Amino acid sequence: MSKRTFTMIKPDATGKSYTGAILDQILKAGFSIKAMKWIRLTEEQAGLFYDIHRERAFFQELVDFMISGPIVAAVLEKENAVADFRTLIGATNPAQAADGTIRKLYAASIGENAVHGSDSDENANIEADFFFSKLERF
Ligand code: CMP
């Protein structure tokens, strides 16, 4: 089991100035930050990151949203990182997210859902590699 996961704070949350509160909640939950950057994705980059969803009806909506403003990308470390982070952020649809989770607190809809969290150790590695060189991780 890997100790690392990957996250993005999405444009809805950065635009509403929730970045600090979300990072605070992540740190208080015991995660440490191993890499982080504030970045605005191009359409091509957002499409590549979410390539697995390319055939889904919501794909273009997802890409348009993800390039609508800056994001914060980060690699996080903690025992059981992938599963524990998904518990911390709550269900993809904030309407179904548990009380106290990041999406319940800060997300408006399934499309604009404040944060991304990797769904497996394998994808955590792939997603971290997408954003960060080895020099940018500690
Ligand atoms: P994320 O965890 O970043 O992974 C894929 C994203 O696709 C997901 O969060 C949602 O933001 C988005 N998504 C999933 N289902 C839908 C949907 N039905 N409509 C719009 N966006 C969706």
Side-chain angles (χ1 to χ4, degrees), residues 8 10 50 53 56 58 61-62 92 103 110-113 115-117:
M8 290 184 289
K10 298 187 180 184
Y50 282 117
H53 297 304
R56 308 283 284 273
F58 61 79
E61 180 190 329
L62 174 60
T92 305
R103 284 174 172 153
I110 191 168
E112 305 202 0
N113 64 355
V115 282
H116 167 80

Side-chain angles (χ1 to χ4, degrees), residues 19-115:
T19 304
I22 290 172
L23 288 174
D24 190 50
Q25 192 165 348
I26 290 169
L27 293 171
K28 284 187 173 134
F31 291 87
S32 56
I33 295 169
K34 295 294 163 182
M36 187 160 72
K37 63 176 68 165
W38 177 270
I39 189 173
R40 187 162 184 166
L41 293 170
T42 65
E43 181 161 10
E44 186 183 6
Q45 288 166 337
L48 278 175
F49 183 87
Y50 282 117
D51 200 47
I52 195 170
H53 297 304
R54 200 168 284 274
E55 304 307 321
R56 308 283 284 273
F58 61 79
F59 177 73
Q60 193 58 47
E61 180 190 329
L62 174 60
V63 168
D64 288 345
F65 165 60
M66 289 303 295
I67 65 174
S68 66
I71 61 149
V72 175
V75 176
L76 304 173
E77 187 169 275
K78 180 183 183 296
E79 290 297 330
N80 203 27
V82 167
D84 284 5
F85 192 70
R86 287 174 74 81
T87 300
L88 179 69
I89 65 179
T92 305
N93 185 347
Q96 289 156 10
D99 284 348
T101 59
I102 290 173
R103 284 174 172 153
K104 184 70 169 190
L105 289 167
Y106 300 111
S109 67
I110 191 168
E112 305 202 0
N113 64 355
V115 282

